[in-house]
Amino acid sequence: MSSFKKRVPSAQTSLPAGCRLSAYNGQVLISTGIPSLDDILGGGLPLGTILLVQEDRQTSYGQLLLKYFLRQGVVAGDKCVVVSGDERPEAIMRSLMGIAGEESSSSQVQQGVDSRDDNEAKGDNRRVKKSGASAEDEDDEDSEQGRLKIAWRYSGLKKFESGVDGRSLPVISSRVNKEPSSSDGSVPTPNQIPFCEQFDLTTRISARALETADTTLIDSGDLLRHISVNNQEIAGSDLDDSENENEDDNPSAAEIVSNQPDLYRNVLDKIRETVVNGGFSTTLVKDPLAPLPAPGAVNLSGRHVCRIGINSIASPSWRSKTPQDLYKFLHALRGLLRFSFGAAVITIPAHLYGTVDQRHATDGSTTSPYIHRLEQLCDASVRIESFAGALTNASSAASDYHGLFHVHKVPVLNALVSSSTKLSVLLNGSAKGSGGQSGGSGRSGGSSKGVNNLGFKVRRKRFTIETFHLPPEGGVGQRRTSAEPSSSAGSLSDRKTGSSATSSSTPSSFSRRDVGASSGSLRKPLGGSNVNSNNSGSSSSSSNNNNNNTINARGKVDIHSVPGASGMARKMMGLPPVGIQGAVTSSCSTEGPDSSGHQHVHGHGHGHGSLSGKVTTSNSSLLDF
Amino acid sequence: MGYASLEPHLPSSHALLPPGTYLSISDTQASDGNFLLHHFISNYIKADHNVVLVGLAGILVHYTMVGRKLGVNLTTAKTKGTFYFVDGLTQLTDYAAPNKDFLIKPTEAKQSGEQRPTTSPSQSATTPSSSTSRPTQRTATPVATAPTALPVVLSYSPKLLDFYKVLEDLIKNTVSKNNVKEKQLCLILDDLSVLLNCGWPCRDVMGLVRYLKLLVAKFNGSLITLVHADAVLAEEVPQDGLVKGVFYEADYIIDVRDLDSGGSRDVHGQLSMLHGPRYLLRQRAGHVKENDWPALTLHYKILDNNVEVFAKGYSSGVL
């Protein structure tokens, strides 16, 4: 026949289900189940890569990311390999979330946007608005918190977007249109499987979905027990009786090492076995000398993807033979995955390896060397810092967020620059309204610079990562009644401070006033200088807390430390960006006419009884430096 | 031809390093120094010299794809015999070799299948010899589907010396195959830190570097290595020792790091071109031309298929 052939429409059809090609470098991507995380990674997690998730302390958002990843795999019909030591992998699989609108799909379709959660509603509202249906909008906006309605004429304007709407990307097959068809109960064809499904955290995965899911569960705890039993048998048969060894008080170090089960290696072998036997490998099954098939060139529609989720690796229940075990594990896993249709998400309780120094724990620009070296061996690395477990008082600053989201590394594959530099909305910040030169820090991942601070929030149907921004001063409903720390122009509040100091003439509080004014003027040039020594930072922030509490009761505006939001705060204050050193402690307090209250506050705040202005002045200035 | 704007700042005669020198590149996590390696790879390949690339952190596809963007076809270079890739990602550690026999053995090359799962040092001592004998076997067998050069099969051994021997045989083989005298050789180790991470002590890694340096100097070649030198890691003694060690051995040092002032969209980081101790020795001996390698600090920005290097403050975003 002639060599002319009609070109098959696109590679899209030949991709495995739930995959798409990167718009930048043609990499095959799979979804992490979270649209905004996909965005950060440059459209999705590339096949053959490892994403390291550094867990938060005291909360389990890290595991939630893992669950999204696995759940998306179940939707797409991928192979899911779950490795867990602390929790039974079956329990993790069983506790996966359900698909949003699965059980009440018919009513969902009829009601439209109403039953969606608020965040989703924003996205949909914009569309509905264009089509003219505004009644539902009103209902939604009333119920919606944190949405400021200034005047009707502004409602037509585009909303300031700090996050990523999963649907806004044209590449993602929009599920809204397909929802009626797929919810009819018809089995979705691979093309219909959305790149990223929407999940509902209030529901559990249906039993049917769990049955059909192709999973391999590896309980590293069981495995460890299994190995150690085997090892003991071997040791007993080969060397001596195991009892004999136990009696021996101090066996040689080498003996201990040789008897230690090599858990990581066994886990890796299990994973390798799954990958190879499941046909996910691109090299090992076939002739190893054949040239590598370029992804997309071959017909991949029959293939599935192997998703490897490892929960809390290197937690205390994982025992390693040598300190290098985990490094070698990751290195070999990466080598394995690069030649297979698979990707891995690994969560690690990084805080267990953190240094004692509190700064390391709170500001996130630095991690412990151990974790840092792990990051070198992974392709992407993110860190979750939830406010619940944070030692800072950022939670009071931004109540809509559940925590901060740090991106340490993004995958750079087959290209000089990472695709997220090109495509990511969240990482670049250029696509959306936030200013060009944000106070990026050393923690910005890959080569994508000018990074915004990111925060995440968990809604019922969406885990969103957004550009971290502070709420409007005082919030919407509680304006003027609560004193939520928010950042406004520091110079403005300083001016207020000065003016209130001069206007009030209560003699008893004169010295205090003096202090206020002088410290205010002192602070003015330093409004956002976030260079604080650790000690003074913590002490002043604690004093700020006290300030905050008392002032709250009196209904005054108070601007205080906003840790983690320093870049943002600086930007809002109109100051040039400075590399983030740590938690900002830019404290400016606005004093009202109530002098006694103020006096009390300062006295309390700085730990002085009431008195000498000079001393307190120097003190406060010290704190500010 | 690599990155045109970087070229004038390098000590290059026709875009190559002077033979017998050692360039050490250090980078940080936020600013990956990988792009410099691609620069040298493409330069050497374009000039039709030999390149031996040891990919400990990346696979061949990665380098090929980037090479394509830089206008170099590594696949044809591989066929021609000027480019060699040593896969250090899948075959480096003992973890890479499964200790269970669930793998389907490749039918064509039984020898390589037997070689792979070696974990004992005694057996791995035989690997170099067998890997050198491989090319003759390969050319003899008509089944050779892949026209690629010899796939060097690394096998784990606790001693890094075996790793060196594999490389030594490979390099000797390369040079003897196309024995044109004026051809230069470039040995690139992508990421020495991986060796450290995978459990080899710093002393051994340093020994490897020293051996390789002497080796390539014999064959009219130069050595380029990359290490991660993050400030966080400086607390660790072996890591710190490695960074200082490679700097001590180096003729030239390029230190890649992100800006002190934080990130920027137009400037991705800064390159510090530094003189290594060996350079100073050679300078004292009078072997170095004037202005061979001016020590200076530059800024860079990585683009799709190029890297812009410019003096501080001369970013296109500023001007």
Side-chain angles (χ1 to χ4, degrees), chain A residues 574-594:
Chain A
L575 290 163
V578 170
I580 296 174
Q581 309 285 334
V584 205
T585 318
S586 60
S587 75
C588 338
S589 60
T590 318
E591 294 137 45
D594 194 345

Side-chain angles (χ1 to χ4, degrees), chain A residues 121-200:
Chain A
K122 283 181 203 167
D124 284 345
N125 278 345
R126 256 173 285 138
R127 286 191 201 102
V128 177
K129 228 175 260 171
K130 279 169 197 159
S131 64
S134 60
E136 282 174 345
D137 275 1
E138 298 296 324
D139 293 341
D140 263 321
E141 277 172 23
D142 284 342
S143 66
E144 212 171 73
Q145 280 199 349
R147 181 141 182 193
L148 198 58
K149 184 140 189 175
I150 301 168
W152 59 269
R153 51 185 299 186
Y154 293 121
S155 63
L157 289 179
K158 197 168 176 291
K159 187 178 163 287
F160 170 74
E161 284 185 66
S162 56
V164 176
D165 186 10
R167 308 277 162 70
S168 65
L169 294 172
V171 204
I172 300 179
S173 56
S174 99
R175 186 173 158 267
V176 186
N177 304 331
K178 287 174 186 166
E179 198 173 24
S181 64
S182 67
S183 62
D184 285 341
S186 63
V187 181
T189 59
N191 286 337
Q192 272 180 330
I193 290 175
F195 179 71
C196 184
E197 184 61 83
Q198 193 185 14
F199 302 110
D200 189 350

Side-chain angles (χ1 to χ4, degrees), chain A residues 242-399:
Chain A
S242 53
E243 297 161 9
N244 209 351
E245 277 177 80
N246 289 342
E247 284 167 21
D248 201 357
D249 275 342
N250 39 2
S252 68
E255 218 167 273
I256 293 179
V257 167
S258 67
N259 282 347
Q260 281 278 333
D262 203 344
L263 176 62
Y264 288 102
R265 165 144 208 183
N266 279 281
V267 169
L268 186 71
D269 277 342
K270 287 251 180 195
I271 291 174
R272 193 199 311 271
E273 195 177 346
T274 312
V275 167
V276 171
N277 290 347
F280 300 108
S281 172
T282 53
T283 52
L284 286 173
V285 184
K286 293 182 290 181
D287 185 13
L289 299 170
L292 280 175
V298 268
N299 188 20
L300 307 173
S301 57
R303 293 199 96 126
H304 278 291
V305 174
C306 182
R307 291 180 181 236
I308 299 166
I310 306 181
N311 180 38
S312 284
I313 202 169
S315 76
S317 65
W318 289 65
R319 216 173 301 158
S320 59
K321 194 170 166 185
T322 57
Q324 284 85 26
D325 272 5
L326 185 51
Y327 300 130
K328 287 199 279 186
F329 174 80
L330 287 176
H331 185 74
L333 181 64
R334 177 144 84 153
L336 176 70
L337 284 176
R338 283 287 153 85
F339 291 104
S340 56
F341 281 90
V345 170
I346 301 176
T347 70
I348 182 168
H351 51 88
L352 294 181
Y353 296 91
T355 31
V356 195
D357 192 358
Q358 212 188 43
R359 258 184 67 224
H360 291 240
T362 51
D363 83 328
S365 62
T366 49
T367 46
S368 71
Y370 184 77
I371 299 296
H372 199 91
R373 287 170 76 170
L374 292 184
E375 287 180 336
Q376 286 177 3
L377 293 168
C378 295
D379 298 293
S381 171
V382 298
R383 191 167 67 89
I384 297 175
E385 180 186 348
S386 82
F387 288 147
L391 304 168
T392 61
N393 55 353
S395 47
S396 59
S399 51

Side-chain angles (χ1 to χ4, degrees), chain A residues 265 269 272 289 373 446 449, chain B residues 30 95 97 99 108 197 236 264:
Chain A
R265 165 144 208 183
D269 277 342
R272 193 199 311 271
L289 299 170
R373 287 170 76 170
K449 303 292 181 172
Chain B
Y95 275 40
N99 55 5
E108 191 262 329
N197 287 342
E236 287 191 336
S264 160

